[in-house]
Amino acid sequence: MLQAINPIRLADNSGRPPETILVNVTPQETRVALLEENKVCELHIDRNSGHGLVGNIYLGVVKRVLPGMQSAFIDIGLERAAFLHIVDVLEQRQKPEETQRIEHMLFEGQTILVQVIKDPINSKGARLSTQISLAGRFLVYLPQDNHIGISQRIEDEEERNELRTRLKALLPENAGGYIIRTSAENARDEELQADIGYLAKLWQDILARSKTSPAETMLYEDLPLSLRVLRDMFNSNTQKIFVDSANNYRLMQEFAQQYVQGAVERIQHYQGEKPLFELYHVEQEINQSLKPRVDLNFGGYLIIESTEAMTTIDVNTGGFVGARNFDETIFKTNLDACHAIARELRLRNLGGMIIVDFIDMVSEEHRQAVLGEMAKALRFDRTRVTLNGFTSLGLVELTRKRSRENLNHILCESCPTCQGRGYLKTAQTVCYEIQREIVRESRRFDAREFRILAAPAVIDLFLDEESQSLALLIDFIGKPVSLMVESSYTQEQFDIVLL
């Protein structure tokens, strides 16, 4: 039985390290790398062939209502129907204390305004919400609500109250709800007012389009990645933003002058001979992040493995023997692992449930110190993370909000040879499969001869170690068996030809 787990409050994000943002643009894709102290900590990729959908607003059609799951499938014009759960329906969100029924709110064929809150991942369709939110530089607009919220990252209660009072004074009557973003901490009233005006006009444009557009139409698309960098990632710790495209440099300058004036002088057009990502070793980091093994500073290492259900991270001492005794070696390895894990979560964009198997520690003091270090390492993550204590099995569980595909899913596909299993049947296993298949075929067909077409490793085994078993097979079926190498075959592929 697992012990009760209480979420650990993550440390505040004061003392954030200096940041550099790199924007690499090609006709096919835009890539953004965030560097903290010259280490790549985040990577965002937006490809022309498959833009991220989070934030997009559609006029959808209810395809199917599932009362048993309290959910519905909505057609929004994508390959797969999108998914809407009762918890993401506006009426339920506004009255969470009341139990609502989705079949009382939606019916098949109904036209409905929805927003994507999670991109399609693997075989799952996009996840939707009927509560619309529009992000600005300092504010998030909730046009169907009247609540004013404040980012949890602004922790000072006096500052929170002051920001709420300032915003209320700027809002007209029945203006809707707003969430004050962290970037609003130092915003002037004129900047907040400009955000309010921009977001209100944007909402009116969306409403007007919804009245004249056919179903399954996209009514609003979020900003391109190069501009979202300025809206969502730029902050007072951002030292430089390098962009290697003249056209995007101009667009970013124009956007910054209108909405993010503090960023104007920090945006620079990179024109060096060496590619931008190569100069900062980002390409090398991308390739490394696709491997399961991550080496730590003092000889230890992590093994990171993701499945659809969860991600597991195993911490190992490896060759680290630098501490005074074994307990200290384990403790130092676990402390070192905390910062590497926090960075890999951001770099690989790992979400959902994450289980960390730290090396077993006898000392309760060491265990609490590792948890504290983990909380400290996670405090700069822009994505919501919940960290829990050790279970009775000595595992640490944390959850990280998943809104887009992880790096591996964007850049890779399942191996066609092993079908994504990560391993192959041995040549010997395939040899035995072939022999069983020949016995079956010999009973069904009166062939003159059987010919085996297989990969070189399999044919070599038949000619060497399995030559005796092949001779016994020929004796048993009373028919000759010939061998032919097919170099294009994978190790598991084979054909049996009846002659």
Side-chain angles (χ1 to χ4, degrees):
M1 182 176 175
L2 297 183
Q3 298 172 347
I5 298 175
N6 295 314
I8 295 170
R9 185 179 179 82
L10 298 186
D12 65 64
N13 62 354
S14 56
R16 197 178 187 98
E19 299 174 350
T20 301
I21 298 174
L22 313 178
V23 182
N24 166 236
V25 182
T26 66
Q28 298 80 28
E29 65 180 0
T30 299
R31 301 186 299 172
V32 171
L34 173 72
L35 280 66
E36 292 177 359
E37 298 176 330
N38 291 322
K39 286 187 176 180
V40 183
C41 292
E42 290 182 27
L43 188 72
H44 302 261
I45 299 176
D46 200 353
R47 289 181 168 168
N48 296 344
S49 58
H51 283 295
L53 304 176
V54 173
N56 291 1
I57 298 173
Y58 295 84
L59 198 60
V61 177
V62 179
K63 182 180 180 183
R64 192 176 173 199
V65 179
L66 305 171
M69 293 175 61
Q70 280 301 289
S71 58
F73 287 106
I74 314 291
D75 270 337
I76 57 174
L78 302 178
E79 182 181 346
R80 291 193 298 270
F83 180 78
L84 174 66
H85 192 268
I86 184 67
V87 297
D88 297 313
V89 175
L90 177 64
E91 290 83 355
Q92 181 66 64
R93 284 195 169 191
Q94 290 177 331
K95 298 177 181 178
E97 69 286 350
E98 297 180 15
T99 303
Q100 311 267 5
R101 300 290 299 178
I102 199 165
E103 65 268 28
H104 298 157
M105 304 175 187
L106 302 178
F107 57 88
E108 291 183 17
Q110 178 183 352
T111 301
I112 182 173
L113 198 66
V114 290
Q115 185 169 35
V116 178
I117 57 174
K118 283 188 181 179
D119 277 329
I121 297 175
N122 295 335
S123 59
K124 297 177 182 177
R127 184 159 177 173
L128 305 176
S129 173
T130 62
Q131 182 177 40
I132 306 300
S133 65
L134 299 169
R137 174 73 181 114
F138 305 106
L139 305 169
V140 175
Y141 183 34
L142 307 173
Q144 305 139 305
D145 212 331
N146 54 15
H147 170 71
I148 294 179
I150 301 180
S151 166
Q152 292 180 353
R153 292 187 180 274
I154 302 175
E155 297 189 338
D156 185 86
E157 198 58 39
E158 187 177 332
E159 186 179 0
R160 292 171 68 89
N161 291 333
E162 182 190 346
L163 281 169
R164 188 179 281 110
T165 302
R166 283 176 58 199
L167 181 60
K168 284 182 178 178
L170 295 171
L171 292 175
E173 283 189 37
N174 303 316
Y178 284 87
I179 296 172
I180 301 172
R181 304 183 72 173
T182 311
S183 55
E185 282 183 292
N186 302 312
R188 303 189 307 274
D189 283 356
E190 309 86 78
E191 292 175 315
L192 294 176
Q193 189 70 66
D195 236 17
I196 293 168
Y198 164 72
L199 293 170
K201 183 178 184 306
L202 182 58
W203 174 239
Q204 291 306 315
D205 291 344
I206 291 169
L207 283 180
R209 288 195 63 198
S210 71
K211 293 171 183 175
T212 58
S213 301
E216 301 182 28
T217 297
M218 182 171 66
L219 304 175
Y220 166 76
E221 185 175 17
D222 203 4
L223 294 171
L225 180 57
S226 58
L227 301 186
R228 293 204 305 272
V229 165
L230 298 174
R231 186 190 69 189
D232 300 336
M233 296 174 67
F234 175 80
N235 60 69
S236 57
N237 287 348
T238 305
Q239 306 296 304
K240 296 289 182 186
I241 301 173
F242 292 107
V243 55
D244 59 8
S245 158
N247 186 49
N248 278 266
Y249 168 72
R250 178 181 55 79
L251 292 173
M252 291 174 73
Q253 282 281 338
E254 290 173 0
F255 185 85
Q257 284 170 0
Q258 189 169 359
Y259 298 109
V260 199
Q261 293 185 0
V264 173
E265 62 277 6
R266 304 187 197 188
I267 303 171
Q268 294 188 10
H269 182 204
Y270 175 75
Q271 302 179 71
E273 291 184 10
K274 208 169 188 179
L276 182 60
F277 269 34
E278 193 176 322
L279 180 68
Y280 284 87
H281 310 294
V282 180
E283 302 290 6
Q284 181 181 336
E285 289 286 351
I286 292 172
N287 290 330
Q288 186 60 43
S289 69
L290 299 176
K291 300 175 182 177
R293 176 168 170 146
V294 178
D295 291 325
L296 303 177
N297 292 329
F298 303 113
Y301 63 92
L302 310 175
I303 296 295
I304 302 175
E305 295 183 333
S306 291
T307 66
E308 195 165 337
M310 69 174 68
T311 296
T312 59
I313 302 176
D314 187 33
V315 183
N316 299 278
T317 54
F320 179 45
V321 292
R324 289 170 297 178
N325 56 55
F326 189 56
D327 285 347
E328 283 296 317
T329 299
I330 290 172
F331 180 50
K332 286 186 178 295
T333 302
N334 284 340
L335 288 179
D336 189 24
C338 290
H339 294 274
I341 290 168
R343 176 172 174 257
E344 292 298 326
L345 294 183
R346 294 170 66 190
L347 179 59
R348 300 174 187 233
N349 192 36
L350 299 173
M353 183 182 292
I354 297 154
I355 302 295
V356 183
D357 186 6
F358 285 106
I359 307 165
D360 288 341
M361 293 171 285
V362 176
S363 165
E364 182 61 27
E365 183 183 346
H366 283 178
R367 287 156 67 98
Q368 292 306 313
V370 167
L371 277 181
E373 194 70 17
M374 193 72 198
K376 181 180 174 185
L378 291 167
R379 71 192 189 278
F380 297 144
D381 200 327
R382 298 171 202 277
T383 301
R384 188 173 71 244
V385 181
T386 302
L387 173 65
N388 299 304
F390 282 92
T391 69
S392 59
L393 297 176
L395 306 173
V396 172
E397 176 192 292
L398 57 98
T399 58
R400 188 171 185 268
K401 184 179 178 182
R402 177 160 48 190
S403 61
R404 57 190 173 91
E405 287 194 304
N406 66 44
L407 191 62
N408 192 65
H409 286 155
I410 293 172
L411 298 179
C412 303
E413 63 181 6
S414 294
C415 168
T417 300
C418 70
Q419 302 301 316
R421 297 197 311 268
Y423 48 84
L424 290 171
K425 293 177 182 176
T426 65
Q428 189 173 48
T429 299
V430 177
C431 279
Y432 295 164
E433 279 187 12
I434 291 172
Q435 292 182 71
R436 288 194 295 271
E437 183 67 20
I438 288 177
V439 170
R440 279 196 295 271
E441 293 296 306
S442 70
R443 289 170 178 167
R444 293 175 59 203
F445 303 102
D446 185 23
R448 179 172 50 84
E449 178 186 341
F450 292 91
R451 179 168 295 166
I452 299 170
L453 280 65
V458 175
I459 299 298
D460 287 347
L461 206 61
F462 271 128
L463 293 172
D464 189 7
E465 296 173 35
E466 297 299 330
S467 58
Q468 189 174 351
S469 67
L470 181 60
L472 289 172
L473 173 67
I474 293 169
D475 248 6
F476 180 75
I477 64 174
K479 300 288 173 66
V481 176
S482 58
L483 305 171
M484 178 178 288
V485 171
E486 280 289 346
S487 302
S488 61
Y489 279 19
T490 65
Q491 188 159 290
E492 293 186 354
Q493 261 184 302
F494 66 85
D495 283 307
I496 298 169
V497 180
L498 281 61
L499 300 174

